[in-house]
Amino acid sequence: AALCRPASIGEMSDKKNGLIRTMKALESCVCLKGKVVKGFQRGSKLLGWPTANLDPKAFENKIDHLDQGVYFGLAKIATHEKVFKTALSVGWNPHFKNKEKTVEAYLVNEFKEDFYGVEMRLMIVGHVRPQIPFDGLESLKKAIQGDVDATVQVLELQKYAKLYTDDFFSDSTAKSQL
């Protein structure tokens, strides 16, 4: 699997929301495979950010070492050829006070269809910021926009270019590891 080298593009601060995004690569990427499942139905309906929720069985005991937070990574849906830049939330979403840990990925693309039940391969590459509660939906939406913008910016760096063609995203590798 892919190996992420520890690196940081430095802190990026969002003065309006008081957020600091560290954009720090993990020592090694975390690669998860599983079906996309229905979540709380808040991503697209309430927030305007449709997310693909990974089946909890796909990350059970595999992300315990990760702090809850917002991460940047890459994802591939079995029904699409392309590997997409991805901003994702790992944890309990303190704004909504979730009772279950979730992995919710926003793939940077506009999809015309849902892909519930379809396999997603998700590579968590680095940490953006901790999860925090917000004082309202507008603040949360602005924070998500900043997270997505920062994700796109960092994943366009040359040092991450090879990850898009990592064996983890190939069909033969994915089928053999299911």
Side-chain angles (χ1 to χ4, degrees), residues 127-152:
H127 187 261
V128 176
R129 64 171 175 82
Q131 286 186 334
I132 58 171
F134 290 89
D135 60 9
L137 284 181
E138 286 310 309
S139 295
L140 175 57
K141 289 178 188 180
K142 287 177 185 171
I144 294 170
Q145 180 66 62
D147 297 338
V148 171
D149 292 346
T151 291
V152 169

Side-chain angles (χ1 to χ4, degrees), residues 10-162:
E11 291 186 354
M12 299 169 41
S13 62
D14 180 340
K15 302 277 189 229
K16 273 188 175 174
N17 293 318
L19 295 178
I20 297 175
R21 295 180 176 87
T22 57
M23 307 310 291
K24 184 165 177 58
L26 301 176
E27 286 188 36
S28 60
C29 296
V30 176
C31 296
L32 305 170
K33 284 187 296 299
K35 302 286 185 200
V36 174
V37 297
K38 282 199 176 202
F40 299 103
Q41 303 295 298
R42 294 187 292 239
S44 58
K45 292 180 174 69
L46 188 62
L47 300 171
W49 295 97
T51 57
N53 294 271
L54 194 59
D55 185 337
K57 288 180 262 177
F59 60 85
E60 191 173 51
N61 302 319
K62 294 178 184 171
I63 58 170
D64 293 344
H65 66 288
L66 295 180
D67 292 330
Q68 71 170 330
V70 177
Y71 289 81
F72 63 91
L74 300 169
K76 185 172 186 300
I77 301 296
T79 54
H80 291 75
E81 293 296 317
K82 185 177 176 186
V83 174
F84 298 97
K85 295 175 183 86
T86 303
L88 59 137
S89 168
V90 173
W92 291 270
N93 298 320
H95 183 80
F96 293 105
K97 298 175 177 70
N98 288 3
K99 302 277 189 256
E100 300 170 22
K101 189 173 196 175
T102 60
V103 173
E104 300 177 63
Y106 171 74
L107 284 62
V108 181
N109 189 57
E110 289 195 27
F111 294 95
K112 295 186 185 335
E113 76 284 354
D114 288 330
F115 26 84
Y116 297 120
V118 176
E119 181 194 80
M120 176 169 63
R121 288 170 249 163
L122 180 62
M123 180 185 290
I124 304 173
V125 177
H127 187 261
V128 176
R129 64 171 175 82
Q131 286 186 334
I132 58 171
F134 290 89
D135 60 9
L137 284 181
E138 286 310 309
S139 295
L140 175 57
K141 289 178 188 180
K142 287 177 185 171
I144 294 170
Q145 180 66 62
D147 297 338
V148 171
D149 292 346
T151 291
V152 169
Q153 181 182 350
V154 74
L155 288 171
E156 288 177 354
L157 295 174
Q158 186 61 36
K159 66 181 165 188
Y160 296 117
K162 288 183 179 178

